[in-house]
Amino acid sequence: MALTGRAALLAALGSLPVGIWEPSWTGILAVNAPLAVACACDFALAAPVRRLGLTRSGDTSVRLGDTADVTLTVTNPSRRPLRARLRDAWPPSTWQPGTETTASRHRLTVPPGERRRVTTRLRPTRRGDRQADRITIRSYGPLGLFSRQGTHKAPWTVRVLPPFTSRKHLPSKLARLRELDGRTSVLTRGEGTEFDSLREYVPGDDTRSIDWRATARQTAVAVRTWRPERDRHILLVLDTGRTSAGRVGDAPRLDASMDAALLLAALASRAGDRVDLLAYDRKVRALVQGRTAGDVLPALVSAMATLEPELVETNARGLTATALRTSPRRSLIVLLTTLDAAPIEEGLLPVLSQLTQRHTVLLASVADPHITEMAKARGNVDAVYQAAAAAQAQSERHRTAEQLRRHGVTVVDATPDDLAPALADAYLALKAAGRL
């Protein structure tokens, strides 16, 4: 039997089974009156949403790749129990792909006059400050037929810090530093510029290190040992211009440069040197100065967290002038920038002498490992053309690096995985040679 419009409506509401007679309006009202009363009571018994109190606590910073827990405390001031579903909204880059639906939604029950906590676990996929968005709460009655819904704001910011993956290289570099300082049984002779101690001559020692006066006062030949100078100043200069936005693998070049800068800062601060940071393209993006050895690494990590590549050409003259103002005395200037021919030849080389005549300059650049793979390609015409293009690109980088070396610049050109340890090794080599 076909249903009329009114019977179909009642069947959809669950009031009538399908296929029964067409009732009168009196019958409809008689059947639906209890349902209407139940819905009204359910709506009335649902706890109000607008009067809820919401506060946050938890983590305020997290390293990229780790998890952060942010706790939301929900206070129910009404006389009715709160049965609710809650959505704690955050930017998409706060979650791993596909996990937002389960991680941001919660069910909770809060008795009258009490409070309950729910914890949202974040796993950010990008650096920077991530701010909480709206909190949407849907409060249900005891029957679950009707609900009240509202939104709240509970501000909270989680700063996503650089991951510092090169930290794993720090123990080996510190061991090399202790070797330079003479604090282990392996002594490096003739290195450094500060006198450390005297010891007895052993075959193989550099005869230039013999202290003849001390030898005359004792029966054995004495040699001088040296240690690297301390309290040197190092300025890390991050180029945040257009070339730092180029992606190498899954991350921009800027991220690899920051990772290398953090390893060098950790090593230099342990060596007793003072480390500052300047991030620049056409204006200063970050500046960290005058921090103690214990505070410098957290300060650098926090300053780097919000840095993003700017799609503008770096002003080399402005960068040089700012670096000179930041380091008025002789320092080691570490430029983390590109080795592309055009930015170097047209931007940096004309003003490079202003840096090299007063400071020791070290330039570190991120190389693309895909270029190395292309250079090895063979087997067909396309592969040969790719290899030729890669060889030309490598030749241009080598030529640019040689130009810089002729101006007295130490150049480190390495892939993202190798840049941090290579930069640390270059620093230790300069320190061992007494150039700092």
Side-chain angles (χ1 to χ4, degrees):
M1 177 178 177
L3 294 176
T4 63
R6 284 172 294 181
L9 176 61
L10 292 173
L13 291 173
S15 309
L16 292 173
V18 178
I20 63 173
W21 70 92
E22 179 181 352
S24 64
W25 283 109
T26 303
I28 293 175
L29 292 175
V31 171
N32 284 313
L35 178 63
V37 172
C39 290
C41 292
D42 198 49
F43 180 78
L45 292 175
V49 174
R50 298 185 182 276
R51 295 173 54 192
L52 296 176
L54 292 96
T55 57
R56 290 190 185 272
S57 60
D59 297 329
T60 57
S61 64
V62 60
R63 289 194 181 277
L64 185 64
D66 293 342
T67 58
D69 291 337
V70 179
T71 300
L72 184 67
T73 302
V74 181
T75 304
N76 179 17
S78 70
R79 298 180 180 179
R80 286 165 278 179
L82 173 68
R83 308 170 187 86
R85 296 179 63 185
L86 180 149
R87 179 176 181 262
D88 190 4
W90 289 76
S93 60
T94 311
W95 321 96
Q96 291 289 327
T99 63
E100 189 272 341
T101 301
T102 56
S104 65
R105 289 167 167 78
H106 309 274
R107 290 181 178 272
L108 75 160
T109 301
V110 185
E114 297 186 16
R115 65 184 65 182
R116 293 291 184 270
R117 295 182 177 90
V118 293
T119 299
T120 302
R121 176 155 291 181
L122 312 177
R123 194 178 183 90
T125 58
R126 290 181 58 187
R127 288 182 297 102
D129 289 340
R130 298 292 171 262
Q131 297 180 347
D133 201 353
R134 295 174 300 174
I135 300 168
T136 303
I137 301 178
R138 182 173 292 175
S139 171
Y140 291 91
L143 299 177
L145 298 175
F146 271 79
S147 63
R148 305 169 184 262
Q149 181 168 308
T151 59
H152 291 262
K153 286 282 189 178
W156 194 260
T157 300
V158 174
R159 173 158 290 189
V160 186
L161 307 174
F164 195 10
T165 55
S166 61
R167 184 190 293 270
K168 60 187 177 184
H169 299 290
L170 187 58
S172 63
K173 305 308 174 187
L174 289 175
R176 172 60 178 160
L177 179 64
R178 288 192 294 270
E179 182 181 322
L180 291 179
D181 279 346
R183 291 197 292 267
T184 65
S185 59
V186 179
L187 294 177
T188 56
R189 295 171 292 278
E191 297 182 336
T193 57
E194 287 188 356
F195 174 74
D196 183 31
S197 61
L198 292 171
R199 63 173 177 81
E200 186 176 344
Y201 174 86
V202 295
D205 282 339
D206 189 348
T207 56
R208 293 173 296 179
S209 64
I210 296 176
D211 190 319
W212 295 107
R213 291 185 179 181
T215 301
R217 294 193 299 268
Q218 57 190 31
T219 58
V221 178
V223 296
R224 295 184 295 268
T225 60
W226 307 85
R227 64 183 178 189
E229 291 186 6
R230 292 176 171 270
D231 200 27
R232 303 294 96 180
H233 180 242
I234 300 172
L235 177 62
L236 304 172
V237 182
L238 282 174
D239 180 359
T240 56
R242 173 186 58 84
T243 56
S244 68
R247 299 189 72 84
V248 178
D250 294 331
R253 282 186 167 90
L254 180 61
D255 285 26
S257 297
M258 290 192 300
D259 193 53
L262 289 174
L263 179 62
L264 179 55
L267 180 62
S269 62
R270 299 285 187 90
D273 293 334
R274 294 173 291 112
V275 182
D276 291 340
L277 169 72
L278 169 66
Y280 190 95
D281 42 73
R282 289 184 176 272
K283 64 179 183 179
V284 176
R285 301 293 178 179
L287 182 62
V288 178
Q289 286 183 288
R291 299 304 179 100
T292 63
D295 295 337
V296 64
L297 199 60
L300 294 183
V301 169
S302 181
M304 290 178 182
T306 56
L307 288 179
E308 295 292 344
E310 301 292 333
L311 299 182
V312 296
E313 200 71 38
T314 299
N315 181 357
R317 292 186 181 274
L319 184 149
T320 301
T322 306
L324 291 173
R325 288 196 303 269
T326 306
S327 300
R329 298 181 179 179
R330 183 168 182 81
S331 308
L332 171 63
I333 306 292
V334 182
L335 293 174
L336 293 119
T337 184
T338 181
L339 261 182
D340 294 345
I344 294 294
E345 295 176 357
E346 299 175 10
L348 184 60
L349 283 179
V351 297
L352 186 59
S353 60
Q354 300 178 30
L355 291 175
T356 55
Q357 67 185 1
R358 188 186 304 179
H359 304 289
T360 301
V361 179
L362 192 161
L363 187 144
S365 180
V366 182
D368 191 345
H370 184 60
I371 299 296
T372 304
E373 296 175 3
M374 288 176 57
K376 299 176 182 178
R378 298 293 187 274
N380 54 50
V381 175
D382 291 340
V384 171
Y385 275 112
Q386 289 180 5
Q392 182 179 5
Q394 290 176 331
S395 177
E396 289 181 355
R397 288 181 74 88
H398 294 159
R399 181 175 59 84
T400 303
E402 285 302 319
Q403 285 182 295
L404 292 168
R405 291 188 181 101
R406 286 196 294 270
H407 285 77
V409 177
T410 302
V411 178
V412 175
D413 185 22
T415 60
D417 292 337
D418 299 330
L419 182 64
L423 181 59
D425 288 339
Y427 162 77
L428 292 173
L430 291 173
K431 207 167 186 62
R435 295 183 57 188
L436 296 184

